[in-house]
Amino acid sequence: KAGVTQTPRYLIKTRGQQVTLSCSPISGHRSVSWYQQTPGQGLQFLFEYFSETQRNKGNFPGRFSGRQFSNSRSEMNVSTLELGDSALYLCASRVSEGYTEAFFGQGTRLTVV
Amino acid sequence: AQTVTQSQPEMSVQEAETVTLSCTYDTSESNYYLFWYKQPPSRQMILVIRQEAYKQQNATENRFSVNFQKAAKSFSLKISDSQLGDTAMYFCAFMKQGNTPLVFGKGTRLSVIA
C-alpha cells in the first residue's frame, strides 16, 4: 500500500507569489491534515479536511487555504507569499475522523526568496 | 489550550545503550492520547508509540517504551539497545479525545554514536 505522497518535494518561490501544494493520502484514508514545520515555531497545525469539508483550522492568516477533492486528495494554497512562509509543510492522513493514528508524508520544503 | 514541553533540545547515546527522552504536557482534559513521533533526515514523521490516557499500563513497542505519569503530566520515552538508525528528531505529541489536531513539542534531537 502506498504511503502519503506529497508533491512537489522542493519548491522555491518569490515573495508575493502564490503556491499550491498537493497531498495524496493513503488509499482508503479520508481525513487529511496539514502542518507547518519551522525551526522557530516547530510543528503547527494548519487545517484538517474530511469528506471535502474543513473540520478544523489552526491559527494562520487567511492567505493559507486548502481544499479536499472527492478522491480525498488535498491541496493547500498560500497566496502573497512572505519570507516567513519558508517551511516544511507536512501532510498527514487518517482513516477517518476520530482515528488517532496519523500517517505523514515526507513534506514539501518551501523556500520563499 | 494544550501545551507540550520537551526540555532536552539535544541528546546523545552510545550504540546499544539506553536513553530516556522527557516530555511534559499541560491539559485540563481527562481523556486524551499521547504519542512519540520520530523524524529522521528523510523528514517523514513516523509514529513510534501511542498511549491512551485512560490506560494505566505503559505502552511498549519492541525497544521503545514509555513511562506515563498522568498525575504528573509526564510522558517519557525510553529507547533500549539504541541503534544507529534511531538517530532522528523525536517529537512528543498530544491529542484530545474527539476530532482534534495533534499538538507537538519542539522536539529532541537524538544522536546515536557508534
Side-chain angles (χ1 to χ4, degrees):
Chain A
K1 196 182 239 187
V4 179
T5 304
Q6 291 189 246
T7 56
R9 292 287 307 278
Y10 300 90
L11 208 48
I12 300 175
K13 289 286 188 179
T14 303
R15 261 185 309 174
Q17 287 186 313
Q18 75 166 17
V19 67
T20 299
L21 312 182
S22 178
C23 172
S24 294
I26 292 172
S27 177
H29 287 200
R30 296 170 62 197
S31 169
V32 174
S33 299
W34 289 88
Y35 292 82
Q36 181 195 64
Q37 184 177 15
T38 60
Q41 299 298 317
L43 282 143
Q44 294 185 285
F45 171 72
L46 281 154
F47 26 66
E48 179 179 14
Y49 287 87
F50 175 76
S51 291
E52 302 177 65
T53 303
Q54 188 178 89
R55 299 303 212 190
N56 282 302
K57 189 176 190 306
N59 188 26
F60 278 82
R63 300 185 298 107
F64 291 81
S65 63
R67 59 178 175 169
Q68 186 180 35
F69 302 94
S70 59
N71 62 357
S72 294
R73 190 177 71 85
S74 177
E75 288 181 348
M76 68 163 281
N77 185 78
V78 188
S79 63
T80 318
L81 284 165
E82 301 177 359
L83 295 179
D85 297 333
S86 294
L88 178 66
Y89 290 88
L90 291 166
C91 167
S93 78
R94 294 191 283 176
V95 171
S96 182
E97 291 183 303
Y99 279 71
T100 59
E101 187 163 2
F103 297 83
F104 284 81
Q106 289 185 286
T108 294
R109 170 77 67 190
L110 171 65
T111 303
V112 183
V113 297
Chain B
Q2 287 71 36
T3 59
V4 178
T5 302
Q6 294 179 249
S7 59
Q8 307 148 314
E10 291 189 33
M11 295 189 71
S12 62
V13 62
Q14 293 285 335
E15 201 175 4
E17 296 295 308
T18 295
V19 64
T20 299
L21 308 183
S22 301
C23 172
T24 58
Y25 58 94
D26 187 25
T27 184
S28 58
E29 304 286 327
S30 56
N31 295 318
Y32 51 87
Y33 303 87
L34 294 162
F35 308 83
W36 279 98
Y37 277 90
K38 167 185 177 181
Q39 188 178 41
S42 67
R43 306 182 329 205
Q44 185 168 15
M45 299 278 278
I46 302 164
L47 179 63
V48 174
I49 201 164
R50 175 181 60 190
Q51 175 80 43
E52 292 88 347
Y54 62 86
K55 289 187 178 178
Q56 292 187 334
Q57 186 172 9
N58 289 323
T60 62
E61 285 288 340
N62 301 314
R63 298 183 294 106
F64 299 88
S65 62
V66 298
N67 183 5
F68 173 49
Q69 303 288 328
K70 191 173 184 179
K73 297 180 182 174
S74 169
F75 183 61
S76 61
L77 173 70
K78 185 171 83 171
I79 306 174
S80 304
D81 185 26
S82 297
Q83 301 175 358
L84 296 177
D86 295 334
T87 293
M89 281 290 289
Y90 286 81
F91 292 93
C92 179
F94 172 100
M95 178 188 282
K96 287 194 306 184
Q97 193 169 44
N99 186 36
T100 61
L102 289 160
V103 177
F104 288 91
K106 290 292 179 72
T108 296
R109 184 177 302 280
L110 177 68
S111 298
V112 180
I113 303 163

